[in-house]
Amino acid sequence: MESTHEPADPVAKGILPTARQSWKDLFIWKQRVVVTNVYGETATEWAKPVPLKNPISLMAQLSGRDWLNFVVGFAAWSADAFDFHALSIQQVKLADYYGVSKTSVSTAITLTLLLRSVGAAVFGLAGDRWGRKWPMVLNMIILGILQIATIYSSTYSQFLGVRALFGLFMGGVYGNAIAMALENSPVDARGLMSGILQQGYSFGYVCAACANLGVGGGTNSWKTVFWIAAGLSIGVGIIRCFFPESKQFLEARKKGKAQANPSQFWKETKVMLRQEWKMCVYCCILMTWFNYYSHTSQDSYTTFMRTQKEMDNSGASRASIIMKAGACVGGTIIGYLSQYFGRRRTIIASALISGCLIPAWILPNSERALSATGFFMQFFVQGAWGVIPIHLNELAPPAFRSSFPGITYQVGNMVSSPSAQIVNAVSEKVHIISHTGKMVEAYGPTMGIATAIIVTGIVVTTAFGPEKRGREFEKALPAGMNLQQQQQQGKQVDDLEAGDMETIPSGLDDEKREARDQQVENTAAPAKQ
């Protein structure tokens, strides 16, 4: 962001004032930002976005170490998605294997999503306290072991128990992955890198769909896909052992090493929750809508093609792969555009376009038509999602960039956990006549109506919510070190929101500044002599 030095009204406090200001700012091209002068005084000014740069030049701004952090974060997020979708795209096979309904199988998805928030809290706080590296290593290796345990679950009850435990450890991946991948990215490159990173989820889906296509439609073939998932998760965990810790985390910890202790960490966590509880609630609501958005539009789509559209496993898998290829492309492009057009405007535009595409997404009957419309639907669904990693990182208190995004994301997952189960339950009770004249389960209408409601929720929630595009994180120490440092410097502990923008002169308290400048000159005069 480039400051214009034009004064703006202060950032609103309170729910209704913030909502009114956010709605008004949505139609103002410039961004309202808080700037800090050399004396630590703050003011609110208008900043204008920097014009979009060549994506290649943006990626060139990342150092070799930055790229290592990004690639490992992307790999962890992709493996996490592969693990999850290894189940969601094979619901028909698993229902046949255990002799239960597809709704019963989707109970495992619900349990996984319910418990991910617990893992996000535990491993996210561990990442903010001890670093991003070892919590992620532990996460990924245990996830691989639990995938193997799923394969050896001989009863449906054992299967549900393992998947619930799987969700606990799966929840810890997202927060640490995006913190490690994005906190070292240059400000101008964040939108692009956020879009690429988020598509690790879609890439994991594509890989799982390819594996499903390769093993065929046999009832027992689901186990092969789970073996592949286990190998990927354990492999990423082992590889992560040989890569360094986040440079920014290490530097920040070094600066505040003297203040680091467990009691200060928990004290600062309590202060953050007291100051930022409204932001926490807002992000949880936003992530609830977004998780309903993705799970409703994709988890049962393969089942939709196999049941309502009467396609075979190969055709449904091919269409799913093309669909998620659209997600990879859309998330990258739209995430990149958000750096210029704004996080909220980009999310709203993408969501509205996806809502308009719903009829074209569910009405066709051929594999080619479903592949094409699925591609464009997911282009905009995951396009909106491509903005989320950096949007959450910018809204998060700087010292809690690992736990805050992970917890809010996984709380949204927890609330939206019944999404696949709801879609399956409603679809299995409502039947329509297919294009071949058969009575089939109404997956298309169920998914279409639900997605339209969700799109409306996303648009409204985003339009009245905050945005902190272009925020800098470098001034904040790791959690547990900021509070004591402020106290030692004699500052009032009233805000942990450090690092909003660069330090620049502002129009604050001119008389006080002139007096301080004169004092500095008087002090420096003897030194010159």
Side-chain angles (χ1 to χ4, degrees), residues 234-381:
I234 294 174
V236 170
I238 293 173
I239 291 172
R240 181 67 185 98
C241 293
F242 299 98
F243 284 80
E245 178 59 89
S246 165
K247 182 180 179 181
Q248 188 178 107
F249 180 86
L250 289 175
E251 290 177 349
R253 185 170 63 181
K254 185 178 180 180
K255 291 178 183 177
K257 191 173 182 180
Q259 292 85 24
N261 63 74
S263 63
Q264 286 296 319
F265 173 80
W266 292 113
K267 185 177 180 180
E268 187 170 325
T269 301
K270 292 177 183 177
V271 172
M272 183 275 292
L273 290 173
R274 185 172 66 250
Q275 293 178 355
E276 298 296 323
W277 69 269
K278 294 175 185 176
M279 183 67 78
C280 292
V281 171
Y282 169 77
C283 289
C284 287
I285 294 172
L286 182 65
M287 287 298 94
T288 297
W289 284 119
F290 262 92
N291 280 290
Y292 267 118
Y293 194 31
S294 60
H295 291 300
T296 301
S297 65
Q298 69 187 14
D299 287 0
S300 297
Y301 197 67
T302 303
T303 307
F304 156 70
M305 290 185 286
R306 293 197 62 181
T307 54
Q308 184 178 324
K309 301 302 179 180
E310 303 176 78
M311 295 169 59
D312 59 19
N313 181 73
S314 297
S317 296
R318 286 192 296 268
S320 295
I321 292 169
I322 294 173
M323 173 186 75
K324 294 309 283 186
C328 293
V329 176
T332 302
I333 292 175
I334 294 176
Y336 166 62
L337 294 176
S338 75
Q339 191 67 30
Y340 184 66
F341 292 101
R343 314 300 185 205
R344 295 188 302 140
R345 294 188 195 97
T346 308
I347 289 171
I348 290 170
S350 297
L352 288 174
I353 294 172
S354 71
C356 295
L357 288 172
I358 289 174
W361 174 54
I362 61 175
L363 293 177
N365 296 309
S366 67
E367 179 184 333
R368 289 185 178 182
L370 287 169
S371 298
T373 56
F375 178 96
F376 286 107
M377 181 67 174
Q378 288 300 318
F379 182 98
F380 290 103
V381 170

Side-chain angles (χ1 to χ4, degrees), residues 36 93 177 228 257-258 312 315 344 359 386 405 416 427 454 510:
T36 306
K93 296 180 187 178
I228 297 171
K257 191 173 182 180
D312 59 19
R344 295 188 302 140
S416 66
S427 301
I454 294 162
D510 292 333

